[in-house]
Short mmCIF file of all heavy atoms in Angstrom, two decimals:
data_model
loop_
_atom_site.label_atom_id
_atom_site.label_comp_id
_atom_site.label_asym_id
_atom_site.label_seq_id
_atom_site.Cartn_x
_atom_site.Cartn_y
_atom_site.Cartn_z
N MET A 28 31.59 -60.96 -157.04
CA MET A 28 32.62 -59.94 -157.03
C MET A 28 33.75 -60.37 -156.10
O MET A 28 33.52 -60.96 -155.07
CB MET A 28 32.06 -58.61 -156.56
CG MET A 28 31.12 -57.96 -157.53
SD MET A 28 30.53 -56.39 -156.89
CE MET A 28 31.29 -55.29 -157.99
N ILE A 29 34.94 -60.03 -156.50
CA ILE A 29 36.12 -60.24 -155.67
C ILE A 29 36.86 -58.91 -155.62
O ILE A 29 37.15 -58.31 -156.65
CB ILE A 29 37.02 -61.34 -156.26
CG1 ILE A 29 36.30 -62.69 -156.18
CG2 ILE A 29 38.34 -61.41 -155.52
CD1 ILE A 29 37.08 -63.85 -156.70
N ASN A 30 37.14 -58.45 -154.43
CA ASN A 30 37.81 -57.16 -154.24
C ASN A 30 37.10 -56.04 -155.01
O ASN A 30 37.73 -55.23 -155.67
CB ASN A 30 39.27 -57.24 -154.68
CG ASN A 30 40.07 -58.22 -153.85
OD1 ASN A 30 39.76 -58.44 -152.68
ND2 ASN A 30 41.07 -58.82 -154.44
N ASP A 31 35.78 -56.04 -154.94
CA ASP A 31 34.94 -55.03 -155.60
C ASP A 31 35.06 -55.04 -157.11
O ASP A 31 34.69 -54.07 -157.76
CB ASP A 31 35.26 -53.64 -155.06
CG ASP A 31 34.93 -53.53 -153.59
OD1 ASP A 31 33.95 -54.17 -153.16
OD2 ASP A 31 35.64 -52.81 -152.87
N LYS A 32 35.57 -56.10 -157.70
CA LYS A 32 35.65 -56.22 -159.15
C LYS A 32 34.66 -57.30 -159.60
O LYS A 32 34.65 -58.40 -159.05
CB LYS A 32 37.05 -56.64 -159.60
CG LYS A 32 38.09 -55.58 -159.53
CD LYS A 32 39.38 -56.15 -160.09
CE LYS A 32 40.32 -55.06 -160.51
NZ LYS A 32 41.53 -55.61 -161.13
N PRO A 33 33.84 -56.99 -160.60
CA PRO A 33 32.93 -58.01 -161.11
C PRO A 33 33.72 -59.10 -161.84
O PRO A 33 34.78 -58.83 -162.39
CB PRO A 33 32.02 -57.25 -162.07
CG PRO A 33 32.82 -56.05 -162.46
CD PRO A 33 33.71 -55.72 -161.29
N MET A 34 33.21 -60.30 -161.83
CA MET A 34 33.86 -61.39 -162.54
C MET A 34 33.13 -61.66 -163.84
O MET A 34 31.92 -61.51 -163.93
CB MET A 34 33.90 -62.64 -161.68
CG MET A 34 34.85 -62.52 -160.53
SD MET A 34 35.27 -64.08 -159.77
CE MET A 34 33.71 -64.55 -159.06
N MET A 35 33.91 -62.05 -164.84
CA MET A 35 33.36 -62.41 -166.13
C MET A 35 33.08 -63.91 -166.13
O MET A 35 33.83 -64.68 -165.50
CB MET A 35 34.36 -62.08 -167.23
CG MET A 35 33.84 -62.39 -168.61
SD MET A 35 34.95 -61.82 -169.90
CE MET A 35 36.12 -63.14 -169.94
N GLN A 36 32.02 -64.31 -166.80
CA GLN A 36 31.70 -65.73 -166.92
C GLN A 36 32.05 -66.19 -168.31
O GLN A 36 31.81 -65.48 -169.29
CB GLN A 36 30.21 -65.95 -166.67
CG GLN A 36 29.78 -65.62 -165.27
CD GLN A 36 28.29 -65.87 -165.08
OE1 GLN A 36 27.65 -66.54 -165.88
NE2 GLN A 36 27.75 -65.33 -164.02
N SER A 37 32.60 -67.39 -168.40
CA SER A 37 32.93 -67.97 -169.68
C SER A 37 32.72 -69.47 -169.61
O SER A 37 32.36 -70.00 -168.56
CB SER A 37 34.37 -67.63 -170.07
OG SER A 37 34.62 -67.99 -171.41
N MET A 38 32.96 -70.14 -170.73
CA MET A 38 32.82 -71.60 -170.78
C MET A 38 34.02 -72.17 -171.52
O MET A 38 34.78 -71.43 -172.13
CB MET A 38 31.51 -71.97 -171.49
CG MET A 38 30.28 -71.45 -170.76
SD MET A 38 28.78 -71.70 -171.69
CE MET A 38 28.38 -73.35 -171.16
N MET A 39 34.17 -73.50 -171.45
CA MET A 39 35.24 -74.16 -172.18
C MET A 39 34.73 -75.52 -172.65
O MET A 39 33.67 -75.97 -172.25
CB MET A 39 36.49 -74.30 -171.33
CG MET A 39 36.33 -75.08 -170.07
SD MET A 39 37.83 -74.97 -169.09
CE MET A 39 37.24 -75.73 -167.59
N GLY A 40 35.51 -76.16 -173.51
CA GLY A 40 35.10 -77.41 -174.14
C GLY A 40 35.03 -78.60 -173.19
O GLY A 40 35.68 -78.63 -172.14
N GLU A 41 34.27 -79.58 -173.59
CA GLU A 41 34.07 -80.79 -172.79
C GLU A 41 35.37 -81.57 -172.58
O GLU A 41 35.52 -82.25 -171.57
CB GLU A 41 33.02 -81.70 -173.43
CG GLU A 41 31.61 -81.20 -173.27
CD GLU A 41 31.19 -81.09 -171.82
OE1 GLU A 41 31.47 -82.00 -171.01
OE2 GLU A 41 30.58 -80.07 -171.46
N ARG A 42 36.31 -81.50 -173.51
CA ARG A 42 37.57 -82.22 -173.37
C ARG A 42 38.25 -81.85 -172.06
O ARG A 42 38.72 -82.72 -171.32
CB ARG A 42 38.50 -81.93 -174.55
CG ARG A 42 39.84 -82.66 -174.45
CD ARG A 42 40.83 -82.18 -175.49
NE ARG A 42 41.28 -80.82 -175.28
CZ ARG A 42 42.20 -80.46 -174.38
NH1 ARG A 42 42.76 -81.35 -173.60
NH2 ARG A 42 42.57 -79.20 -174.27
N ILE A 43 38.27 -80.56 -171.74
CA ILE A 43 38.91 -80.11 -170.51
C ILE A 43 38.06 -80.51 -169.30
O ILE A 43 38.59 -80.96 -168.29
CB ILE A 43 39.17 -78.60 -170.54
CG1 ILE A 43 40.13 -78.26 -171.69
CG2 ILE A 43 39.77 -78.13 -169.21
CD1 ILE A 43 40.34 -76.78 -171.92
N TRP A 44 36.75 -80.37 -169.40
CA TRP A 44 35.88 -80.75 -168.28
C TRP A 44 36.04 -82.22 -167.93
O TRP A 44 35.97 -82.59 -166.76
CB TRP A 44 34.42 -80.43 -168.59
CG TRP A 44 34.10 -78.98 -168.49
CD1 TRP A 44 33.80 -78.14 -169.52
CD2 TRP A 44 34.04 -78.19 -167.31
NE1 TRP A 44 33.56 -76.88 -169.04
CE2 TRP A 44 33.70 -76.88 -167.68
CE3 TRP A 44 34.24 -78.46 -165.96
CZ2 TRP A 44 33.57 -75.84 -166.77
CZ3 TRP A 44 34.11 -77.42 -165.05
CH2 TRP A 44 33.77 -76.14 -165.46
N GLN A 45 36.24 -83.07 -168.91
CA GLN A 45 36.40 -84.50 -168.66
C GLN A 45 37.64 -84.79 -167.82
O GLN A 45 37.67 -85.76 -167.06
CB GLN A 45 36.43 -85.28 -169.96
CG GLN A 45 35.09 -85.30 -170.64
CD GLN A 45 35.12 -85.91 -172.02
OE1 GLN A 45 36.17 -86.24 -172.55
NE2 GLN A 45 33.95 -86.06 -172.63
N LEU A 46 38.66 -83.95 -167.95
CA LEU A 46 39.87 -84.12 -167.14
C LEU A 46 39.58 -83.98 -165.65
O LEU A 46 40.29 -84.56 -164.82
CB LEU A 46 40.93 -83.10 -167.55
CG LEU A 46 41.59 -83.30 -168.90
CD1 LEU A 46 42.47 -82.10 -169.23
CD2 LEU A 46 42.38 -84.59 -168.93
N MET A 47 38.56 -83.22 -165.32
CA MET A 47 38.23 -82.99 -163.91
C MET A 47 37.98 -84.30 -163.17
O MET A 47 38.35 -84.45 -162.01
CB MET A 47 37.00 -82.08 -163.81
CG MET A 47 36.62 -81.70 -162.41
SD MET A 47 35.10 -80.75 -162.42
CE MET A 47 35.69 -79.21 -161.79
N GLN A 48 37.38 -85.26 -163.85
CA GLN A 48 37.08 -86.55 -163.23
C GLN A 48 38.29 -87.48 -163.17
O GLN A 48 38.32 -88.39 -162.35
CB GLN A 48 35.96 -87.25 -164.03
CG GLN A 48 34.70 -86.43 -164.17
CD GLN A 48 34.10 -86.06 -162.82
OE1 GLN A 48 34.08 -86.85 -161.90
NE2 GLN A 48 33.62 -84.83 -162.72
N VAL A 49 39.27 -87.25 -164.03
CA VAL A 49 40.40 -88.16 -164.16
C VAL A 49 41.66 -87.65 -163.45
O VAL A 49 42.34 -88.42 -162.78
CB VAL A 49 40.72 -88.39 -165.67
CG1 VAL A 49 41.89 -89.32 -165.84
CG2 VAL A 49 39.49 -88.89 -166.39
N ASP A 50 41.97 -86.36 -163.65
CA ASP A 50 43.23 -85.82 -163.13
C ASP A 50 43.04 -84.35 -162.79
O ASP A 50 43.08 -83.49 -163.66
CB ASP A 50 44.32 -85.99 -164.19
CG ASP A 50 45.70 -85.58 -163.72
OD1 ASP A 50 45.82 -84.86 -162.70
OD2 ASP A 50 46.68 -85.96 -164.40
N GLN A 51 42.83 -84.06 -161.51
CA GLN A 51 42.55 -82.69 -161.05
C GLN A 51 43.67 -81.72 -161.41
O GLN A 51 43.40 -80.59 -161.84
CB GLN A 51 42.35 -82.68 -159.53
CG GLN A 51 40.97 -83.09 -159.10
CD GLN A 51 39.95 -82.00 -159.37
OE1 GLN A 51 40.21 -80.83 -159.14
NE2 GLN A 51 38.81 -82.39 -159.86
N GLU A 52 44.91 -82.11 -161.25
CA GLU A 52 46.04 -81.20 -161.54
C GLU A 52 46.11 -80.88 -163.02
O GLU A 52 46.37 -79.75 -163.41
CB GLU A 52 47.36 -81.80 -161.03
CG GLU A 52 47.45 -81.83 -159.52
CD GLU A 52 47.20 -80.46 -158.88
OE1 GLU A 52 47.81 -79.46 -159.32
OE2 GLU A 52 46.40 -80.38 -157.94
N GLU A 53 45.91 -81.87 -163.86
CA GLU A 53 45.91 -81.65 -165.31
C GLU A 53 44.73 -80.75 -165.70
O GLU A 53 44.87 -79.88 -166.54
CB GLU A 53 45.84 -82.99 -166.04
CG GLU A 53 45.90 -82.87 -167.54
CD GLU A 53 47.23 -82.39 -168.08
OE1 GLU A 53 48.22 -82.33 -167.33
OE2 GLU A 53 47.29 -82.05 -169.27
N PHE A 54 43.58 -80.96 -165.07
CA PHE A 54 42.41 -80.12 -165.32
C PHE A 54 42.73 -78.66 -165.00
O PHE A 54 42.45 -77.77 -165.81
CB PHE A 54 41.22 -80.60 -164.48
CG PHE A 54 40.06 -79.66 -164.50
CD1 PHE A 54 39.23 -79.58 -165.60
CD2 PHE A 54 39.79 -78.84 -163.41
CE1 PHE A 54 38.15 -78.69 -165.63
CE2 PHE A 54 38.72 -77.97 -163.42
CZ PHE A 54 37.90 -77.89 -164.53
N LYS A 55 43.33 -78.41 -163.85
CA LYS A 55 43.68 -77.04 -163.46
C LYS A 55 44.67 -76.42 -164.44
O LYS A 55 44.54 -75.27 -164.84
CB LYS A 55 44.26 -77.02 -162.05
CG LYS A 55 43.24 -77.34 -160.98
CD LYS A 55 43.90 -77.43 -159.62
CE LYS A 55 42.94 -77.91 -158.56
NZ LYS A 55 43.58 -78.07 -157.26
N ARG A 56 45.68 -77.20 -164.81
CA ARG A 56 46.70 -76.70 -165.73
C ARG A 56 46.09 -76.35 -167.10
O ARG A 56 46.32 -75.28 -167.64
CB ARG A 56 47.82 -77.73 -165.90
CG ARG A 56 49.02 -77.22 -166.70
CD ARG A 56 50.05 -78.30 -166.92
NE ARG A 56 49.60 -79.36 -167.80
CZ ARG A 56 49.45 -79.24 -169.12
NH1 ARG A 56 49.72 -78.10 -169.71
NH2 ARG A 56 49.04 -80.25 -169.85
N GLU A 57 45.29 -77.28 -167.63
CA GLU A 57 44.65 -77.06 -168.93
C GLU A 57 43.71 -75.86 -168.88
O GLU A 57 43.64 -75.08 -169.83
CB GLU A 57 43.88 -78.31 -169.36
CG GLU A 57 44.74 -79.43 -169.81
CD GLU A 57 45.15 -79.32 -171.27
OE1 GLU A 57 44.49 -78.60 -172.03
OE2 GLU A 57 46.14 -79.96 -171.61
N THR A 58 42.96 -75.72 -167.79
CA THR A 58 42.03 -74.60 -167.65
C THR A 58 42.79 -73.27 -167.66
O THR A 58 42.43 -72.34 -168.38
CB THR A 58 41.20 -74.74 -166.36
OG1 THR A 58 40.47 -75.96 -166.42
CG2 THR A 58 40.24 -73.58 -166.19
N ARG A 59 43.85 -73.19 -166.86
CA ARG A 59 44.65 -71.96 -166.82
C ARG A 59 45.24 -71.64 -168.19
O ARG A 59 45.19 -70.49 -168.65
CB ARG A 59 45.77 -72.09 -165.79
CG ARG A 59 45.29 -71.86 -164.38
CD ARG A 59 46.47 -71.79 -163.41
NE ARG A 59 46.14 -72.56 -162.23
CZ ARG A 59 46.66 -73.75 -161.92
NH1 ARG A 59 47.58 -74.29 -162.65
NH2 ARG A 59 46.26 -74.38 -160.84
N GLU A 60 45.81 -72.65 -168.85
CA GLU A 60 46.40 -72.43 -170.18
C GLU A 60 45.35 -71.96 -171.19
O GLU A 60 45.62 -71.07 -172.00
CB GLU A 60 47.08 -73.70 -170.68
CG GLU A 60 48.40 -73.98 -170.03
CD GLU A 60 49.09 -75.20 -170.62
OE1 GLU A 60 48.68 -75.67 -171.71
OE2 GLU A 60 50.04 -75.67 -169.99
N TYR A 61 44.19 -72.58 -171.16
CA TYR A 61 43.11 -72.25 -172.09
C TYR A 61 42.74 -70.76 -171.97
O TYR A 61 42.66 -70.04 -172.97
CB TYR A 61 41.90 -73.13 -171.79
CG TYR A 61 40.70 -72.89 -172.65
CD1 TYR A 61 40.56 -73.51 -173.88
CD2 TYR A 61 39.68 -72.04 -172.23
CE1 TYR A 61 39.45 -73.30 -174.66
CE2 TYR A 61 38.56 -71.81 -173.00
CZ TYR A 61 38.45 -72.44 -174.22
OH TYR A 61 37.35 -72.21 -175.01
N PHE A 62 42.57 -70.31 -170.74
CA PHE A 62 42.14 -68.92 -170.55
C PHE A 62 43.30 -67.93 -170.66
O PHE A 62 43.07 -66.77 -170.99
CB PHE A 62 41.36 -68.77 -169.24
CG PHE A 62 39.99 -69.37 -169.36
CD1 PHE A 62 39.70 -70.60 -168.81
CD2 PHE A 62 39.00 -68.71 -170.07
CE1 PHE A 62 38.45 -71.17 -168.95
CE2 PHE A 62 37.74 -69.27 -170.23
CZ PHE A 62 37.46 -70.50 -169.67
N THR A 63 44.52 -68.36 -170.42
CA THR A 63 45.67 -67.49 -170.64
C THR A 63 45.79 -67.15 -172.12
O THR A 63 46.08 -66.01 -172.48
CB THR A 63 46.97 -68.17 -170.14
OG1 THR A 63 46.86 -68.36 -168.73
CG2 THR A 63 48.19 -67.33 -170.44
N ARG A 64 45.55 -68.14 -172.97
CA ARG A 64 45.61 -67.89 -174.42
C ARG A 64 44.42 -67.06 -174.90
O ARG A 64 44.57 -66.15 -175.72
CB ARG A 64 45.62 -69.21 -175.18
CG ARG A 64 46.95 -69.92 -175.14
CD ARG A 64 46.98 -71.10 -176.12
NE ARG A 64 45.91 -72.05 -175.87
CZ ARG A 64 46.02 -73.14 -175.12
NH1 ARG A 64 47.15 -73.41 -174.53
NH2 ARG A 64 45.00 -73.95 -174.96
N GLY A 65 43.24 -67.39 -174.42
CA GLY A 65 42.03 -66.74 -174.91
C GLY A 65 41.72 -65.40 -174.28
O GLY A 65 41.11 -64.53 -174.91
N TYR A 66 42.11 -65.22 -173.03
CA TYR A 66 41.81 -64.00 -172.28
C TYR A 66 43.06 -63.53 -171.53
O TYR A 66 43.13 -63.63 -170.30
CB TYR A 66 40.67 -64.22 -171.27
CG TYR A 66 39.34 -64.51 -171.91
CD1 TYR A 66 38.88 -65.81 -172.04
CD2 TYR A 66 38.54 -63.47 -172.37
CE1 TYR A 66 37.66 -66.08 -172.63
CE2 TYR A 66 37.32 -63.73 -172.95
CZ TYR A 66 36.88 -65.03 -173.08
OH TYR A 66 35.67 -65.29 -173.67
N PRO A 67 44.05 -63.01 -172.25
CA PRO A 67 45.25 -62.53 -171.55
C PRO A 67 44.87 -61.41 -170.58
O PRO A 67 44.05 -60.56 -170.88
CB PRO A 67 46.16 -62.02 -172.66
CG PRO A 67 45.35 -61.99 -173.90
CD PRO A 67 44.11 -62.79 -173.68
N GLY A 68 45.45 -61.47 -169.39
CA GLY A 68 45.16 -60.46 -168.38
C GLY A 68 44.01 -60.84 -167.45
O GLY A 68 43.65 -60.07 -166.56
N PHE A 69 43.44 -62.02 -167.65
CA PHE A 69 42.36 -62.51 -166.79
C PHE A 69 42.87 -63.71 -166.01
O PHE A 69 43.70 -64.47 -166.49
CB PHE A 69 41.14 -62.93 -167.62
CG PHE A 69 40.34 -61.78 -168.13
CD1 PHE A 69 40.78 -61.03 -169.22
CD2 PHE A 69 39.14 -61.43 -167.55
CE1 PHE A 69 40.04 -59.97 -169.71
CE2 PHE A 69 38.39 -60.36 -168.03
CZ PHE A 69 38.84 -59.63 -169.11
N THR A 70 42.35 -63.89 -164.80
CA THR A 70 42.73 -65.01 -163.94
C THR A 70 41.50 -65.85 -163.64
O THR A 70 40.44 -65.30 -163.30
CB THR A 70 43.31 -64.48 -162.61
OG1 THR A 70 44.42 -63.63 -162.89
CG2 THR A 70 43.76 -65.62 -161.71
N VAL A 71 41.65 -67.16 -163.74
CA VAL A 71 40.56 -68.07 -163.36
C VAL A 71 40.42 -68.02 -161.84
O VAL A 71 41.38 -68.25 -161.11
CB VAL A 71 40.86 -69.51 -163.82
CG1 VAL A 71 39.78 -70.47 -163.31
CG2 VAL A 71 40.98 -69.59 -165.33
N LYS A 72 39.24 -67.69 -161.36
CA LYS A 72 39.00 -67.58 -159.92
C LYS A 72 38.11 -68.68 -159.38
O LYS A 72 38.23 -69.06 -158.24
CB LYS A 72 38.37 -66.22 -159.59
CG LYS A 72 39.26 -65.05 -159.88
CD LYS A 72 40.62 -65.21 -159.23
CE LYS A 72 40.70 -64.49 -157.94
NZ LYS A 72 42.06 -64.52 -157.38
N ARG A 73 37.19 -69.16 -160.19
CA ARG A 73 36.24 -70.15 -159.71
C ARG A 73 35.76 -70.97 -160.90
O ARG A 73 35.60 -70.44 -162.00
CB ARG A 73 35.06 -69.44 -159.06
CG ARG A 73 34.14 -70.34 -158.31
CD ARG A 73 33.07 -69.55 -157.55
NE ARG A 73 33.71 -68.56 -156.68
CZ ARG A 73 33.21 -67.34 -156.46
NH1 ARG A 73 32.09 -66.96 -157.02
NH2 ARG A 73 33.83 -66.50 -155.65
N VAL A 74 35.51 -72.25 -160.66
CA VAL A 74 35.03 -73.14 -161.71
C VAL A 74 33.86 -73.94 -161.15
O VAL A 74 33.98 -74.58 -160.11
CB VAL A 74 36.16 -74.12 -162.15
CG1 VAL A 74 35.64 -75.10 -163.17
CG2 VAL A 74 37.35 -73.35 -162.70
N LYS A 75 32.74 -73.84 -161.83
CA LYS A 75 31.56 -74.63 -161.46
C LYS A 75 30.84 -74.98 -162.76
O LYS A 75 30.29 -74.09 -163.41
CB LYS A 75 30.65 -73.85 -160.52
CG LYS A 75 29.49 -74.68 -160.03
CD LYS A 75 28.70 -73.99 -158.95
CE LYS A 75 27.56 -74.88 -158.52
NZ LYS A 75 26.70 -74.25 -157.54
N TYR A 76 30.89 -76.24 -163.11
CA TYR A 76 30.36 -76.67 -164.40
C TYR A 76 28.99 -76.08 -164.68
O TYR A 76 28.14 -76.13 -163.81
CB TYR A 76 30.28 -78.21 -164.44
CG TYR A 76 29.85 -78.73 -165.79
CD1 TYR A 76 30.78 -78.88 -166.80
CD2 TYR A 76 28.53 -79.03 -166.04
CE1 TYR A 76 30.39 -79.35 -168.04
CE2 TYR A 76 28.13 -79.49 -167.28
CZ TYR A 76 29.06 -79.65 -168.28
OH TYR A 76 28.68 -80.09 -169.50
N PRO A 77 28.81 -75.53 -165.85
CA PRO A 77 29.70 -75.36 -167.00
C PRO A 77 30.35 -73.97 -167.07
O PRO A 77 30.88 -73.60 -168.11
CB PRO A 77 28.75 -75.55 -168.17
CG PRO A 77 27.47 -74.88 -167.70
CD PRO A 77 27.42 -75.20 -166.20
N ILE A 78 30.32 -73.24 -165.99
CA ILE A 78 30.80 -71.85 -166.00
C ILE A 78 32.18 -71.74 -165.35
O ILE A 78 32.45 -72.36 -164.33
CB ILE A 78 29.82 -70.91 -165.25
CG1 ILE A 78 28.41 -71.01 -165.84
CG2 ILE A 78 30.31 -69.48 -165.25
CD1 ILE A 78 28.29 -70.54 -167.27
N VAL A 79 33.03 -70.91 -165.96
CA VAL A 79 34.33 -70.56 -165.40
C VAL A 79 34.27 -69.06 -165.12
O VAL A 79 33.90 -68.28 -166.00
CB VAL A 79 35.47 -70.89 -166.38
CG1 VAL A 79 36.81 -70.49 -165.80
CG2 VAL A 79 35.46 -72.37 -166.73
N TYR A 80 34.61 -68.66 -163.91
CA TYR A 80 34.57 -67.26 -163.52
C TYR A 80 35.98 -66.69 -163.59
O TYR A 80 36.92 -67.26 -163.03
CB TYR A 80 34.02 -67.13 -162.09
CG TYR A 80 32.59 -67.60 -161.99
CD1 TYR A 80 32.31 -68.93 -161.69
CD2 TYR A 80 31.54 -66.72 -162.20
CE1 TYR A 80 31.00 -69.37 -161.60
CE2 TYR A 80 30.23 -67.17 -162.12
CZ TYR A 80 29.96 -68.49 -161.83
OH TYR A 80 28.66 -68.92 -161.76
N LEU A 81 36.10 -65.57 -164.30
CA LEU A 81 37.40 -64.94 -164.54
C LEU A 81 37.44 -63.55 -163.92
O LEU A 81 36.47 -62.81 -163.98
CB LEU A 81 37.65 -64.82 -166.04
CG LEU A 81 37.57 -66.12 -166.84
CD1 LEU A 81 37.51 -65.83 -168.31
CD2 LEU A 81 38.73 -67.02 -166.50
N GLN A 82 38.59 -63.22 -163.38
CA GLN A 82 38.79 -61.88 -162.83
C GLN A 82 39.67 -61.09 -163.79
O GLN A 82 40.70 -61.58 -164.25
CB GLN A 82 39.48 -61.97 -161.47
CG GLN A 82 39.78 -60.61 -160.87
CD GLN A 82 40.42 -60.77 -159.51
OE1 GLN A 82 39.84 -61.38 -158.62
NE2 GLN A 82 41.60 -60.25 -159.36
N ASP A 83 39.28 -59.87 -164.08
CA ASP A 83 40.05 -59.00 -164.97
C ASP A 83 41.16 -58.34 -164.16
O ASP A 83 40.91 -57.53 -163.28
CB ASP A 83 39.12 -57.92 -165.55
CG ASP A 83 39.79 -57.05 -166.58
OD1 ASP A 83 41.02 -57.15 -166.76
OD2 ASP A 83 39.08 -56.26 -167.22
N ASP A 84 42.39 -58.72 -164.46
CA ASP A 84 43.55 -58.18 -163.76
C ASP A 84 44.26 -57.09 -164.56
O ASP A 84 45.32 -56.62 -164.15
CB ASP A 84 44.54 -59.30 -163.42
CG ASP A 84 43.97 -60.29 -162.43
OD1 ASP A 84 43.19 -59.85 -161.55
OD2 ASP A 84 44.29 -61.47 -162.52
N ARG A 85 43.69 -56.72 -165.68
CA ARG A 85 44.31 -55.65 -166.48
C ARG A 85 44.05 -54.31 -165.81
O ARG A 85 42.96 -54.01 -165.40
CB ARG A 85 43.72 -55.61 -167.89
CG ARG A 85 43.87 -56.93 -168.64
CD ARG A 85 43.08 -56.92 -169.91
NE ARG A 85 41.65 -56.77 -169.58
CZ ARG A 85 40.71 -56.47 -170.45
NH1 ARG A 85 40.99 -56.31 -171.71
NH2 ARG A 85 39.45 -56.35 -170.06
N ASP A 86 45.08 -53.53 -165.70
CA ASP A 86 44.91 -52.18 -165.13
C ASP A 86 45.72 -51.16 -165.86
O ASP A 86 46.62 -51.33 -166.51
CB ASP A 86 45.30 -52.14 -163.66
CG ASP A 86 44.17 -52.62 -162.75
OD1 ASP A 86 43.02 -52.57 -163.16
OD2 ASP A 86 44.50 -53.06 -161.64
#
C-alpha cells in the first residue's frame, strides 16, 4: 500500500523486460508508455520481475 491505497499487480512482455539489462532509461520509458496505454489513470510505482505494481490515481 502507498498512502493507504492498495496497489494493483500486473505483468508485461519479455521484450520490455530485456531492456532492463541493456538500457535502464529506455526500460523505464517503455514501461511507463505500456501502462499509460493499457491502464490510463494508473502510475507505475514499483517493478520487480515479473510483477509491476501500479497505483490507481483515478479519483
Side-chain angles (χ1 to χ4, degrees):
M28 290 180 112
I29 293 181
N30 297 330
D31 296 326
K32 285 184 160 183
M34 289 196 293
M35 182 173 82
Q36 295 180 16
S37 190
M38 298 173 86
M39 60 187 170
E41 286 299 316
R42 180 189 68 78
I43 298 174
W44 284 110
Q45 289 173 354
L46 290 172
M47 184 184 244
Q48 304 301 321
V49 180
D50 185 343
Q51 279 286 318
E52 291 306 311
E53 183 68 11
F54 170 76
K55 291 175 187 177
R56 187 184 68 73
E57 287 276 340
T58 300
R59 281 189 224 107
E60 284 184 15
Y61 179 86
F62 287 102
T63 296
R64 284 190 303 266
Y66 294 98
F69 285 77
T70 303
V71 175
K72 295 308 263 186
R73 191 173 305 143
V74 176
K75 185 172 180 184
Y76 185 83
I78 304 296
V79 179
Y80 297 90
L81 305 167
Q82 178 178 301
D83 186 352
D84 294 326
R85 302 170 298 167
D86 278 337

